[in-house]
Amino acid sequence: MAIGQLCICKSNNNGEPLFFWERWKLKTFLFYKGTKYTHIYQDNELYVITNDHVPVKFDKKYFRYLFKT
C-alpha cells in the first residue's frame, strides 16, 4: 500500500543541484524551489513524482534536504 503527500521543494539553488557531484550524475535537475510535488512511501521506499509523472527514488536523509512537508 502506498501513502502519498504533498511536499514543497526548498532548494536554494532554483533548480540547480545542491551538491557538486550531482552536476556529474544528473544531466538535468528535476525539482525546482517553491514547486509542490507528491511524495509516496511504498514498500519502505521514498519516491517523489516529477512534473512529467516519473517517480524518482530518494534516500530519506537527502529528501529532508530538498523538500519540506
Side-chain angles (χ1 to χ4, degrees), residues 2 6 12 17 36 38-39 45-46 48 50 53 56 60 68:
L6 283 179
N12 293 324
K36 293 181 182 177
T38 302
H39 74 280
E45 302 286 336
L46 177 64
V48 178
T50 67
H53 309 292
V56 177
K60 291 179 184 180
K68 157 174 103 167

Side-chain angles (χ1 to χ4, degrees), residues 4 24 26 31 40 54:
W24 303 321
L26 301 174
F31 304 101
I40 297 173
V54 177

Side-chain angles (χ1 to χ4, degrees), residues 10-39:
K10 62 180 183 178
S11 168
N12 293 324
N13 300 28
N14 290 319
E16 289 295 315
L18 285 179
F19 305 108
F20 68 92
W21 49 264
E22 286 183 316
R23 294 175 197 264
W24 303 321
K25 184 178 176 185
L26 301 174
K27 293 184 174 126
T28 58
F29 199 64
L30 304 173
F31 304 101
Y32 296 94
K33 182 179 181 180
T35 305
K36 293 181 182 177
Y37 298 96
T38 302
H39 74 280

Side-chain angles (χ1 to χ4, degrees), residues 48-63:
V48 178
I49 309 301
T50 67
N51 290 336
D52 296 329
H53 309 292
V54 177
V56 177
K57 186 175 173 182
F58 273 91
D59 178 63
K60 291 179 184 180
K61 290 181 183 178
Y62 184 53
F63 174 80

